[in-house]
Amino acid sequence: MYMIKRILLKCEICGEVFNSNSLYYQHKVLQHSEYKPIVKEDSYECPICHETRKKLPSLLTHIGLHHIVNNPIKIESA
């Protein structure tokens, strides 16, 4: 029987561990960056490239993935 290993991402700054890339990126934006989304009437706007998203988590993931430095520590989990 094979054991499936999961890769977890550990924040290189504070050590918090995440089981998805998007949660890691959202954490980095909210906790460790100066970039904050611009709130529009019915959407959220990236303060860097001005791309818009309907949902805040989606925009936070965008900012974390495209506009900040990420060096997560990868941890294998059973």
Side-chain angles (χ1 to χ4, degrees), residues 5-54:
K5 292 185 179 179
R6 290 185 55 137
I7 301 295
L8 303 176
L9 300 178
K10 182 176 179 180
C11 178
E12 69 278 17
I13 297 170
C14 69
E16 191 168 342
V17 177
F18 303 91
N19 62 8
S20 77
N21 290 347
S22 60
L23 290 175
Y24 165 78
Y25 295 134
Q26 291 171 33
H27 163 81
K28 285 289 298 267
V29 173
L30 290 173
Q31 300 301 320
H32 305 298
S33 84
E34 69 277 8
Y35 302 122
K36 301 303 174 217
I38 299 166
V39 179
K40 298 288 190 173
E41 189 172 311
D42 62 346
S43 62
Y44 300 91
E45 182 179 306
C46 177
I48 299 123
C49 71
H50 304 289
E51 186 170 319
T52 60
R53 301 285 172 94
K54 291 284 184 192

